[in-house]
Amino acid sequence: MLRLPLPIAVAGLRLGVAVAMLLCVGGCGYSFRAPYDKTVQTVFVPMFKSQTFTRDVEKMLTELVQKEISRRTPYRLVSDPDRADTVLSGTVNFVDKNIVVESPFNLPRQLTRTVNASVNWVHNPPTEAEKNRQPTIISDTTNFVTEVGETSLTATYQLCQRLADQIVDMMEQPWYTEEDLR
């Protein structure tokens, strides 16, 4: 084993630490933060609309989206659309519950719950491209078992939470531009 004199070993250690610090500070363009649009600071989220007969799903989804925006993004929620840089609106299109497995007595044993919504995030006022853009459709399905205490309401809450996560994930800047798609 090669032994260096103490002053040379300390100098080499200092040089190694300095190089490591420069690499950490300078980086290679990578970031641990989500790539949110820096030009947007405020978001208005009106109550989602509903085209279903299932009650209060739109209220639940709106509340969860607002909580996720406050928790995960640098954007600030505003209650007045005139003070907002952007508007995030949505519609709950479809809510369904189906039986997957029945018990021998024709009682539901395992069921599925599906929620489908359309979401549109535009600047305030919308740009020409945003005026013609179709809303983004998101959907999710979950299974639940009534015999272990799961209810239709708990399944709906779980789905709305996952949809809210998807909606906030879509608020990140894309990794591509419109020119890349052509």
Side-chain angles (χ1 to χ4, degrees), residues 1-5:
M1 178 156 132
L2 178 66
R3 291 203 169 253
L4 296 174

Side-chain angles (χ1 to χ4, degrees), residues 75-166:
Y75 307 136
R76 188 171 39 92
L77 291 172
V78 293
S79 58
D80 183 17
D82 296 331
R83 294 187 297 132
D85 297 332
T86 59
V87 176
L88 176 69
S89 59
T91 303
V92 177
N93 301 320
F94 180 73
V95 178
D96 193 28
K97 177 173 70 173
N98 292 311
I99 297 174
V100 177
V101 178
E102 287 184 359
S103 71
F105 304 107
N106 289 335
L107 296 173
R109 184 167 276 174
Q110 182 178 1
L111 298 100
T112 63
R113 181 63 135 181
T114 302
V115 177
N116 177 303
S118 57
V119 182
N120 204 4
W121 189 34
V122 296
H123 286 87
N124 190 16
T127 63
E128 287 301 318
E130 291 173 341
K131 288 179 184 177
N132 300 325
R133 186 177 64 204
Q134 294 293 318
T136 303
I137 307 295
I138 57 172
S139 183
D140 205 349
T141 301
T142 190
N143 293 330
F144 65 100
V145 181
T146 57
E147 292 177 344
V148 296
E150 296 175 327
T151 66
S152 181
L153 182 64
T154 58
T156 304
Y157 185 83
Q158 180 184 22
L159 282 174
C160 286
Q161 181 63 54
R162 292 198 316 225
L163 291 177
D165 289 342
Q166 287 181 32

Side-chain angles (χ1 to χ4, degrees), residues 54-71:
T54 306
R55 295 182 55 175
D56 297 335
V57 176
E58 72 279 3
K59 292 177 186 175
M60 188 183 303
L61 184 57
T62 303
E63 180 182 323
L64 290 171
V65 166
Q66 290 172 342
K67 285 181 181 178
E68 284 298 308
I69 289 172
S70 295
R71 188 174 68 84

